[in-house]
Short mmCIF file of all heavy atoms in Angstrom, two decimals:
data_model
loop_
_atom_site.label_atom_id
_atom_site.label_comp_id
_atom_site.label_asym_id
_atom_site.label_seq_id
_atom_site.Cartn_x
_atom_site.Cartn_y
_atom_site.Cartn_z
N LYS A 27 -20.15 6.50 -0.07
CA LYS A 27 -20.48 5.09 -0.31
C LYS A 27 -20.67 4.33 1.00
O LYS A 27 -21.38 3.32 1.04
CB LYS A 27 -19.37 4.43 -1.12
CG LYS A 27 -19.35 4.82 -2.60
CD LYS A 27 -18.28 4.06 -3.34
CE LYS A 27 -18.34 4.36 -4.83
NZ LYS A 27 -17.28 3.62 -5.58
N GLY A 28 -20.04 4.79 2.06
CA GLY A 28 -20.19 4.13 3.35
C GLY A 28 -21.61 4.17 3.87
O GLY A 28 -21.97 3.37 4.75
N TYR A 29 -22.41 5.06 3.34
CA TYR A 29 -23.81 5.16 3.77
C TYR A 29 -24.58 3.87 3.47
O TYR A 29 -25.48 3.49 4.22
CB TYR A 29 -24.49 6.34 3.07
CG TYR A 29 -25.96 6.49 3.42
CD1 TYR A 29 -26.34 7.11 4.60
CD2 TYR A 29 -26.95 5.99 2.58
CE1 TYR A 29 -27.68 7.24 4.93
CE2 TYR A 29 -28.29 6.11 2.90
CZ TYR A 29 -28.65 6.74 4.08
OH TYR A 29 -29.98 6.85 4.41
N ILE A 30 -24.19 3.18 2.40
CA ILE A 30 -24.93 1.99 1.96
C ILE A 30 -24.90 0.92 3.05
O ILE A 30 -25.94 0.44 3.50
CB ILE A 30 -24.34 1.46 0.64
CG1 ILE A 30 -24.47 2.53 -0.46
CG2 ILE A 30 -25.06 0.18 0.22
CD1 ILE A 30 -23.71 2.19 -1.72
N ASN A 31 -23.69 0.53 3.47
CA ASN A 31 -23.57 -0.51 4.50
C ASN A 31 -24.12 -0.04 5.85
O ASN A 31 -24.71 -0.82 6.60
CB ASN A 31 -22.11 -0.94 4.64
CG ASN A 31 -21.63 -1.69 3.41
OD1 ASN A 31 -22.40 -2.34 2.72
ND2 ASN A 31 -20.34 -1.59 3.13
N TRP A 32 -23.90 1.23 6.15
CA TRP A 32 -24.41 1.78 7.41
C TRP A 32 -25.93 1.70 7.45
O TRP A 32 -26.52 1.28 8.46
CB TRP A 32 -23.95 3.23 7.57
CG TRP A 32 -24.50 3.92 8.78
CD1 TRP A 32 -23.97 3.92 10.04
CD2 TRP A 32 -25.70 4.72 8.85
NE1 TRP A 32 -24.75 4.67 10.89
CE2 TRP A 32 -25.82 5.17 10.19
CE3 TRP A 32 -26.66 5.11 7.93
CZ2 TRP A 32 -26.87 5.98 10.61
CZ3 TRP A 32 -27.72 5.91 8.34
CH2 TRP A 32 -27.81 6.34 9.67
N ARG A 33 -26.56 2.04 6.36
CA ARG A 33 -28.03 2.06 6.31
C ARG A 33 -28.60 0.65 6.30
O ARG A 33 -29.63 0.38 6.95
CB ARG A 33 -28.49 2.82 5.08
CG ARG A 33 -29.99 3.04 4.99
CD ARG A 33 -30.50 3.89 6.10
NE ARG A 33 -31.87 4.30 5.89
CZ ARG A 33 -32.81 4.31 6.82
NH1 ARG A 33 -32.52 3.92 8.05
NH2 ARG A 33 -34.03 4.72 6.54
N LEU A 34 -27.97 -0.27 5.58
CA LEU A 34 -28.46 -1.64 5.52
C LEU A 34 -28.38 -2.32 6.89
O LEU A 34 -29.11 -3.28 7.15
CB LEU A 34 -27.66 -2.45 4.50
CG LEU A 34 -27.92 -2.13 3.03
CD1 LEU A 34 -26.93 -2.86 2.14
CD2 LEU A 34 -29.35 -2.47 2.63
N ALA A 35 -27.50 -1.82 7.75
CA ALA A 35 -27.37 -2.39 9.09
C ALA A 35 -28.43 -1.85 10.05
O ALA A 35 -28.57 -2.36 11.17
CB ALA A 35 -25.98 -2.11 9.66
N GLN A 36 -29.17 -0.82 9.61
CA GLN A 36 -30.21 -0.24 10.45
C GLN A 36 -31.48 -1.09 10.37
O GLN A 36 -31.59 -2.02 9.57
CB GLN A 36 -30.53 1.20 10.00
CG GLN A 36 -29.31 2.10 9.90
CD GLN A 36 -28.71 2.39 11.25
OE1 GLN A 36 -29.40 2.74 12.18
NE2 GLN A 36 -27.39 2.24 11.34
N SER A 37 -32.45 -0.78 11.18
CA SER A 37 -33.76 -1.42 11.13
C SER A 37 -34.84 -0.35 11.11
O SER A 37 -34.63 0.76 11.59
CB SER A 37 -33.96 -2.36 12.33
OG SER A 37 -33.85 -1.64 13.54
N SER A 38 -35.98 -0.70 10.53
CA SER A 38 -37.08 0.25 10.45
C SER A 38 -37.72 0.43 11.82
O SER A 38 -37.40 -0.28 12.78
CB SER A 38 -38.12 -0.24 9.44
OG SER A 38 -38.77 -1.40 9.93
N TYR A 39 -38.67 1.35 11.90
CA TYR A 39 -39.34 1.60 13.18
C TYR A 39 -40.18 0.40 13.60
O TYR A 39 -40.55 0.27 14.76
CB TYR A 39 -40.20 2.86 13.09
CG TYR A 39 -41.41 2.73 12.19
CD1 TYR A 39 -42.65 2.39 12.71
CD2 TYR A 39 -41.31 2.97 10.82
CE1 TYR A 39 -43.77 2.27 11.90
CE2 TYR A 39 -42.42 2.85 9.99
CZ TYR A 39 -43.63 2.52 10.53
OH TYR A 39 -44.73 2.39 9.72
N ARG A 40 -40.46 -0.50 12.66
CA ARG A 40 -41.20 -1.72 13.00
C ARG A 40 -40.28 -2.86 13.40
O ARG A 40 -40.73 -3.95 13.72
CB ARG A 40 -42.04 -2.16 11.80
CG ARG A 40 -43.15 -1.16 11.44
CD ARG A 40 -43.88 -1.62 10.19
NE ARG A 40 -44.95 -0.69 9.84
CZ ARG A 40 -45.68 -0.78 8.73
NH1 ARG A 40 -45.44 -1.77 7.88
NH2 ARG A 40 -46.63 0.09 8.46
N GLY A 41 -38.97 -2.61 13.36
CA GLY A 41 -38.02 -3.63 13.75
C GLY A 41 -37.57 -4.53 12.62
O GLY A 41 -36.77 -5.44 12.83
N THR A 42 -38.06 -4.30 11.40
CA THR A 42 -37.66 -5.12 10.26
C THR A 42 -36.43 -4.51 9.59
O THR A 42 -36.19 -3.30 9.67
CB THR A 42 -38.81 -5.20 9.24
OG1 THR A 42 -39.17 -3.86 8.83
CG2 THR A 42 -40.02 -5.87 9.85
N PRO A 43 -35.62 -5.32 8.90
CA PRO A 43 -34.43 -4.78 8.21
C PRO A 43 -34.83 -3.79 7.11
O PRO A 43 -35.91 -3.90 6.52
CB PRO A 43 -33.77 -6.04 7.62
CG PRO A 43 -34.32 -7.19 8.41
CD PRO A 43 -35.71 -6.79 8.80
N ILE A 44 -33.94 -2.85 6.86
CA ILE A 44 -34.18 -1.88 5.80
C ILE A 44 -34.05 -2.57 4.45
O ILE A 44 -33.07 -3.27 4.19
CB ILE A 44 -33.18 -0.71 5.90
CG1 ILE A 44 -33.38 0.05 7.21
CG2 ILE A 44 -33.33 0.23 4.71
CD1 ILE A 44 -34.71 0.74 7.34
N ALA A 45 -35.03 -2.38 3.59
CA ALA A 45 -35.01 -3.02 2.27
C ALA A 45 -33.95 -2.38 1.39
O ALA A 45 -33.75 -1.16 1.44
CB ALA A 45 -36.39 -2.90 1.60
N PRO A 46 -33.24 -3.17 0.57
CA PRO A 46 -32.23 -2.60 -0.33
C PRO A 46 -32.79 -1.53 -1.27
O PRO A 46 -32.11 -0.57 -1.60
CB PRO A 46 -31.73 -3.82 -1.11
CG PRO A 46 -31.97 -4.97 -0.20
CD PRO A 46 -33.24 -4.64 0.52
N THR A 47 -34.06 -1.71 -1.69
CA THR A 47 -34.65 -0.70 -2.57
C THR A 47 -34.81 0.64 -1.85
O THR A 47 -34.72 1.70 -2.48
CB THR A 47 -36.02 -1.18 -3.09
OG1 THR A 47 -36.82 -1.63 -1.98
CG2 THR A 47 -35.86 -2.31 -4.07
N THR A 48 -35.05 0.60 -0.54
CA THR A 48 -35.14 1.85 0.23
C THR A 48 -33.80 2.57 0.22
O THR A 48 -33.73 3.78 0.04
CB THR A 48 -35.56 1.55 1.68
OG1 THR A 48 -36.84 0.91 1.68
CG2 THR A 48 -35.64 2.82 2.50
N VAL A 49 -32.72 1.80 0.42
CA VAL A 49 -31.38 2.40 0.39
C VAL A 49 -31.07 2.95 -1.00
O VAL A 49 -30.46 4.01 -1.14
CB VAL A 49 -30.32 1.35 0.81
CG1 VAL A 49 -28.92 1.96 0.82
CG2 VAL A 49 -30.65 0.79 2.18
N MET A 50 -31.50 2.24 -2.02
CA MET A 50 -31.28 2.71 -3.39
C MET A 50 -31.96 4.06 -3.62
O MET A 50 -31.37 4.98 -4.19
CB MET A 50 -31.82 1.68 -4.39
CG MET A 50 -31.65 2.07 -5.86
SD MET A 50 -32.38 0.86 -6.99
CE MET A 50 -34.12 1.11 -6.66
N HIS A 51 -33.20 4.20 -3.14
CA HIS A 51 -33.92 5.46 -3.30
C HIS A 51 -33.25 6.59 -2.51
O HIS A 51 -33.16 7.73 -2.98
CB HIS A 51 -35.37 5.30 -2.86
CG HIS A 51 -36.14 4.38 -3.74
ND1 HIS A 51 -37.20 3.61 -3.28
CD2 HIS A 51 -36.02 4.07 -5.05
CE1 HIS A 51 -37.68 2.89 -4.27
NE2 HIS A 51 -36.98 3.16 -5.35
N GLU A 52 -32.74 6.26 -1.31
CA GLU A 52 -32.07 7.29 -0.51
C GLU A 52 -30.75 7.72 -1.13
O GLU A 52 -30.38 8.89 -1.06
CB GLU A 52 -31.86 6.75 0.91
CG GLU A 52 -33.16 6.58 1.68
CD GLU A 52 -32.99 5.85 3.00
OE1 GLU A 52 -31.88 5.35 3.28
OE2 GLU A 52 -33.98 5.77 3.76
N MET A 53 -30.05 6.78 -1.77
CA MET A 53 -28.82 7.15 -2.48
C MET A 53 -29.12 8.02 -3.69
O MET A 53 -28.33 8.90 -4.05
CB MET A 53 -28.07 5.89 -2.90
CG MET A 53 -27.43 5.12 -1.76
SD MET A 53 -26.19 6.09 -0.86
CE MET A 53 -24.89 6.20 -2.07
N GLN A 54 -30.26 7.80 -4.30
CA GLN A 54 -30.68 8.68 -5.41
C GLN A 54 -30.90 10.10 -4.91
O GLN A 54 -30.52 11.07 -5.57
CB GLN A 54 -31.94 8.13 -6.06
CG GLN A 54 -31.73 6.83 -6.82
CD GLN A 54 -33.03 6.21 -7.29
OE1 GLN A 54 -34.13 6.66 -6.94
NE2 GLN A 54 -32.93 5.15 -8.08
N ILE A 55 -31.51 10.22 -3.73
CA ILE A 55 -31.71 11.54 -3.13
C ILE A 55 -30.37 12.18 -2.80
O ILE A 55 -30.16 13.38 -3.02
CB ILE A 55 -32.59 11.44 -1.87
CG1 ILE A 55 -33.99 10.94 -2.23
CG2 ILE A 55 -32.67 12.78 -1.15
CD1 ILE A 55 -34.76 11.86 -3.15
N LEU A 56 -29.42 11.40 -2.26
CA LEU A 56 -28.09 11.94 -1.94
C LEU A 56 -27.42 12.48 -3.19
O LEU A 56 -26.81 13.56 -3.15
CB LEU A 56 -27.23 10.85 -1.30
CG LEU A 56 -25.76 11.22 -1.04
CD1 LEU A 56 -25.66 12.44 -0.14
CD2 LEU A 56 -25.01 10.04 -0.43
N ASN A 57 -27.52 11.77 -4.29
CA ASN A 57 -26.92 12.25 -5.53
C ASN A 57 -27.60 13.51 -6.04
O ASN A 57 -26.94 14.39 -6.61
CB ASN A 57 -26.97 11.15 -6.59
CG ASN A 57 -25.84 10.15 -6.45
OD1 ASN A 57 -24.72 10.40 -6.89
ND2 ASN A 57 -26.12 9.03 -5.82
N GLN A 58 -28.90 13.62 -5.83
CA GLN A 58 -29.60 14.85 -6.21
C GLN A 58 -29.16 16.02 -5.33
O GLN A 58 -29.06 17.16 -5.80
CB GLN A 58 -31.11 14.63 -6.12
CG GLN A 58 -31.65 13.67 -7.17
CD GLN A 58 -33.12 13.38 -6.99
OE1 GLN A 58 -33.86 14.16 -6.40
NE2 GLN A 58 -33.57 12.24 -7.49
N ILE A 59 -28.88 15.74 -4.06
CA ILE A 59 -28.38 16.77 -3.16
C ILE A 59 -27.00 17.25 -3.62
O ILE A 59 -26.71 18.45 -3.63
CB ILE A 59 -28.33 16.24 -1.71
CG1 ILE A 59 -29.75 16.03 -1.18
CG2 ILE A 59 -27.56 17.19 -0.80
CD1 ILE A 59 -29.80 15.31 0.15
N LEU A 60 -26.15 16.31 -4.01
CA LEU A 60 -24.82 16.67 -4.50
C LEU A 60 -24.90 17.46 -5.80
O LEU A 60 -24.12 18.40 -6.02
CB LEU A 60 -23.98 15.40 -4.69
CG LEU A 60 -23.65 14.62 -3.41
CD1 LEU A 60 -22.94 13.32 -3.74
CD2 LEU A 60 -22.80 15.46 -2.46
N ASP A 61 -25.84 17.08 -6.68
CA ASP A 61 -26.04 17.85 -7.91
C ASP A 61 -26.49 19.28 -7.59
O ASP A 61 -26.08 20.24 -8.26
CB ASP A 61 -27.07 17.17 -8.80
CG ASP A 61 -26.55 15.88 -9.41
OD1 ASP A 61 -25.30 15.72 -9.49
OD2 ASP A 61 -27.37 15.03 -9.81
N HIS A 62 -27.34 19.40 -6.57
CA HIS A 62 -27.79 20.72 -6.13
C HIS A 62 -26.60 21.55 -5.65
O HIS A 62 -26.50 22.75 -5.95
CB HIS A 62 -28.82 20.57 -5.01
CG HIS A 62 -29.20 21.85 -4.34
ND1 HIS A 62 -30.13 22.72 -4.86
CD2 HIS A 62 -28.75 22.43 -3.18
CE1 HIS A 62 -30.25 23.76 -4.07
NE2 HIS A 62 -29.43 23.61 -3.04
N ALA A 63 -25.68 20.92 -4.91
CA ALA A 63 -24.50 21.62 -4.41
C ALA A 63 -23.61 22.08 -5.56
O ALA A 63 -23.02 23.17 -5.51
CB ALA A 63 -23.72 20.72 -3.46
N VAL A 64 -23.51 21.27 -6.61
CA VAL A 64 -22.71 21.65 -7.78
C VAL A 64 -23.36 22.81 -8.50
O VAL A 64 -22.69 23.77 -8.92
CB VAL A 64 -22.53 20.44 -8.72
CG1 VAL A 64 -21.88 20.88 -10.03
CG2 VAL A 64 -21.68 19.37 -8.06
N ASP A 65 -24.69 22.74 -8.67
CA ASP A 65 -25.41 23.83 -9.35
C ASP A 65 -25.26 25.15 -8.61
O ASP A 65 -25.14 26.21 -9.23
CB ASP A 65 -26.89 23.48 -9.48
CG ASP A 65 -27.13 22.33 -10.45
OD1 ASP A 65 -26.24 22.07 -11.28
OD2 ASP A 65 -28.20 21.68 -10.36
N LYS A 66 -25.26 25.10 -7.28
CA LYS A 66 -25.11 26.30 -6.47
C LYS A 66 -23.64 26.69 -6.29
O LYS A 66 -23.35 27.70 -5.65
CB LYS A 66 -25.75 26.08 -5.09
CG LYS A 66 -27.26 25.92 -5.12
CD LYS A 66 -27.94 27.22 -5.52
CE LYS A 66 -29.46 27.09 -5.44
NZ LYS A 66 -30.14 28.34 -5.81
N ARG A 67 -22.75 25.87 -6.84
CA ARG A 67 -21.30 26.11 -6.79
C ARG A 67 -20.76 26.07 -5.36
O ARG A 67 -19.81 26.78 -5.03
CB ARG A 67 -20.95 27.44 -7.48
CG ARG A 67 -21.39 27.50 -8.94
CD ARG A 67 -20.88 28.73 -9.64
NE ARG A 67 -21.40 28.83 -10.99
CZ ARG A 67 -20.86 28.23 -12.06
NH1 ARG A 67 -19.79 27.49 -11.90
NH2 ARG A 67 -21.39 28.39 -13.25
N TYR A 68 -21.38 25.24 -4.53
CA TYR A 68 -20.83 25.01 -3.19
C TYR A 68 -19.63 24.07 -3.27
O TYR A 68 -18.75 24.11 -2.41
CB TYR A 68 -21.88 24.42 -2.26
CG TYR A 68 -23.10 25.30 -2.07
CD1 TYR A 68 -24.37 24.76 -1.90
CD2 TYR A 68 -22.98 26.70 -2.05
CE1 TYR A 68 -25.48 25.56 -1.73
CE2 TYR A 68 -24.08 27.51 -1.88
CZ TYR A 68 -25.33 26.93 -1.72
OH TYR A 68 -26.43 27.73 -1.55
N ILE A 69 -19.65 23.19 -4.27
CA ILE A 69 -18.51 22.32 -4.55
C ILE A 69 -18.29 22.31 -6.06
O ILE A 69 -19.20 22.59 -6.84
CB ILE A 69 -18.75 20.87 -4.06
CG1 ILE A 69 -20.04 20.29 -4.65
CG2 ILE A 69 -18.75 20.81 -2.55
CD1 ILE A 69 -20.29 18.84 -4.28
#
């Protein structure tokens, strides 16, 4: 969960703040990665 605040504090390569929807999409990818780890029985 700490990734959310960490990412929102970052800026894009153009110097603009990271949009909340971008963080939302990246958290969706993180959850898919964790699901992959469960399927492979890594956790």
Side-chain angles (χ1 to χ4, degrees):
K27 286 184 175 179
Y29 178 81
I30 299 170
N31 291 331
W32 176 87
R33 186 64 169 137
L34 288 172
Q36 307 292 312
S37 59
S38 68
Y39 69 95
R40 294 176 179 174
T42 58
I44 297 296
T47 50
T48 300
V49 181
M50 180 183 70
H51 293 150
E52 291 171 353
M53 289 299 290
Q54 291 172 352
I55 296 297
L56 174 58
N57 278 279
Q58 292 175 24
I59 291 171
L60 295 175
D61 289 339
H62 171 82
V64 172
D65 292 340
K66 293 292 185 180
R67 302 187 185 275
Y68 299 146
I69 55 176

